[in-house]
Amino acid sequence: MEKLFLSSLFSLLLFVHSVSAYTTYNVISFGANPDGRTDSTQPFRNAWSSACASTSPAIIYVPSGRYLLGHIVFHGGCRNSDVRIIIQGTLVAPYNYREFSNISNWLAFQNVNGVSIYGGTLDGQGSSLWYCKSTGNSCPTGARSLVFRDSRNILINGVTSISSQKFHFVLDNAQNVTMQGVVISAPGNSPNTDGIHVEKSTNVRIVNSGIRTGDDCISVGPGTRNLWIENIACGPGHGISIGSLGWSLNESGVKNVTVKNVTMTGTTNGLRIKSWARPSNGFARGIVFENVRMENVRNPIIIDQNYCSSSATSCPHKASSITVSQVTYRGIRGTSATPTAVKINCSVAKPCTGIRLEDITLTYQNQIAKSFCAHAHGIAAGLIKPSSLAIHISDYVVALMLHIIVKCSRVSALYFKDKF
């Protein structure tokens, strides 16, 4: 304990020393009011403009209190590449969701370089919009709480986001981003409140964070490369999803994604890859899911290439041409909330290839769970429960079983090959 205290004190001293050369801009001095009722939108804009215009590294300081903010876009083109936003208070969105009727983002950073956000809470006050949606009335889509677009060298450290109207955090065409110590909270029945959405972004790390929400804890969209996700507690929510992919014919692929040391608790899905059943030249490859603990998860492992969202007015019924390949599941353990814990439902037009299962143990009500597989091939290694996993290769059938406990519910395809 003493060593931990000394280490934390040393880190704090280093931080204080490192910011001593920074010019500090306190939002209070620009007229921001921490009473939670007075609109502080313009003072925050002015603080950003001053920090961005500074030729030396800058700090925007937000003291304790609640700051009511409307829609803001923090534009880049700054004269320095090190702006730190240190938040001790809470930023609050308007309670009246119709103020964002034609706005997709609450707070957005556009074309910035070298922005860091430390601490604080973002309160999207989304409950009234969620209620509106639950009634079936005509409601706005909702605003995403914090978006970085066309930006690079970003750090989000120790930020809490609660009750977002829609997605909590979005990285869109961002490079070299670290998110750590993030806490996200929304009820399990809050619609479209994805925790973190990443698309068209490269070299992103999401670590040491807890996400409780009503949609995907983390969703990965087209064009994402080199994404590292580690030490995440997810649930409630819809798990960690790659996709949905394949809505557009010409779509950038997803590759080199690692998800490890994750706990899923009470989520509707665990580790999911999903694509629409329609033509597309996109792909998902080089995906690793490792050391994941499932606790009462409805679909612990799922590849769904016939995806259709519940909100879609009509579903495509063509074959998905998204290429899913080189996907590894290693050390996936725990309990399923449904009898079928593994669902690998790949495209008849583009079967999944290079699916690798290693050391999988999933149970349902203290029994080994079932699996469903179609149009996939790969390798099973180590202890696999459920271990009879069907795959589709060519037009002949071979059954090579390893640790067979329960047969796959679909046998119109090949079983995974034992590597031994």
Side-chain angles (χ1 to χ4, degrees), residues 94-113:
Y95 182 77
N96 182 0
Y97 56 82
R98 296 200 181 276
E99 292 192 28
F100 290 160
S101 292
N102 300 311
I103 296 172
S104 58
N105 306 314
W106 172 29
L107 306 173
F109 289 83
Q110 176 77 41
N111 193 30
V112 299
N113 175 28

Side-chain angles (χ1 to χ4, degrees), residues 343-418:
K343 299 176 183 177
I344 300 179
N345 185 18
C346 297
S347 171
V348 64
K350 280 283 186 75
C352 300
T353 62
I355 308 299
R356 185 179 183 90
L357 300 167
E358 300 181 26
D359 300 322
I360 312 296
T361 304
L362 295 168
T363 62
Y364 169 68
Q365 295 184 350
N366 298 318
Q367 302 293 322
I368 298 302
K370 298 177 182 179
S371 62
F372 171 91
C373 322
H375 314 304
H377 64 82
I379 293 174
L383 182 63
I384 310 292
K385 297 181 180 181
S387 56
S388 178
L389 295 171
I391 59 174
H392 178 86
I393 303 177
S394 184
D395 49 11
Y396 60 91
V397 173
V398 174
L400 182 58
M401 300 186 183
L402 131 98
H403 299 297
I404 294 306
I405 304 296
V406 127
K407 287 191 175 181
C408 196
S409 61
R410 181 157 183 159
V411 293
S412 61
L414 282 181
Y415 287 93
F416 272 87
K417 294 181 179 178
D418 185 345

Side-chain angles (χ1 to χ4, degrees), residues 145-217:
S145 285
L146 181 61
V147 177
F148 278 88
R149 178 179 288 119
D150 302 329
S151 300
R152 63 191 189 277
N153 303 319
I154 305 302
L155 172 65
I156 301 173
N157 188 349
V159 177
T160 296
S161 177
I162 63 174
S163 300
S164 180
Q165 290 186 2
K166 201 176 177 184
F167 296 3
H168 289 256
F169 296 95
V170 176
L171 304 177
D172 182 359
N173 193 30
Q175 287 76 43
N176 302 325
V177 180
T178 295
M179 299 183 67
Q180 61 188 29
V182 169
V183 176
I184 296 171
S185 181
N189 61 352
S190 56
N192 304 120
T193 53
D194 293 50
I196 302 170
H197 179 72
V198 184
E199 65 177 41
K200 293 180 290 187
S201 297
T202 305
N203 298 331
V204 175
R205 295 176 65 251
I206 303 170
V207 299
N208 305 328
S209 297
I211 305 172
R212 300 170 56 86
T213 188
D215 211 298
D216 294 329
C217 290

Side-chain angles (χ1 to χ4, degrees), residues 117-325:
I117 303 177
Y118 295 89
T121 298
L122 311 178
D123 184 353
Q125 297 211 100
S127 59
S128 58
L129 176 60
W130 307 335
Y131 176 77
C132 177
K133 291 182 177 181
S134 72
T135 63
N137 294 329
S138 177
C139 312
T141 301
R144 304 176 297 183
S145 285
L146 181 61
V147 177
F148 278 88
R149 178 179 288 119
D150 302 329
S151 300
R152 63 191 189 277
N153 303 319
I154 305 302
L155 172 65
I156 301 173
N157 188 349
V159 177
T160 296
S161 177
I162 63 174
S163 300
S164 180
Q165 290 186 2
K166 201 176 177 184
F167 296 3
H168 289 256
F169 296 95
V170 176
L171 304 177
D172 182 359
N173 193 30
Q175 287 76 43
N176 302 325
V177 180
T178 295
M179 299 183 67
Q180 61 188 29
V182 169
V183 176
I184 296 171
S185 181
N189 61 352
S190 56
N192 304 120
T193 53
D194 293 50
I196 302 170
H197 179 72
V198 184
E199 65 177 41
K200 293 180 290 187
S201 297
T202 305
N203 298 331
V204 175
R205 295 176 65 251
I206 303 170
V207 299
N208 305 328
S209 297
I211 305 172
R212 300 170 56 86
T213 188
D215 211 298
D216 294 329
C217 290
I218 300 173
S219 56
V220 182
T224 299
R225 313 289 176 93
N226 303 333
L227 171 62
W228 187 276
I229 299 169
E230 185 172 9
N231 292 335
I232 304 295
C234 168
H238 295 183
I240 295 177
S241 294
I242 296 175
S244 51
L245 305 177
W247 184 256
S248 301
L249 177 61
N250 296 311
E251 183 177 276
S252 299
V254 173
K255 69 176 183 180
N256 299 338
V257 176
T258 297
V259 177
K260 65 184 300 184
N261 301 334
V262 170
T263 299
M264 305 275 187
T265 304
T267 53
T268 56
N269 300 291
L271 308 170
R272 177 166 62 162
I273 300 174
K274 55 179 177 174
S275 67
W276 296 92
R278 55 190 291 161
S280 176
N281 57 15
F283 60 85
R285 68 169 178 259
I287 316 296
V288 176
F289 300 109
E290 181 175 2
N291 192 23
V292 178
R293 178 72 186 176
M294 305 288 180
E295 297 179 3
N296 200 37
V297 173
R298 292 192 64 186
N299 299 296
I301 294 175
I302 179 169
I303 298 177
D304 182 5
Q305 292 205 262
N306 296 286
Y307 172 74
C308 182
S309 68
S310 59
S311 60
T313 55
S314 62
C315 299
H317 295 291
K318 300 178 181 179
S320 172
S321 54
I322 289 286
T323 302
V324 177
S325 63

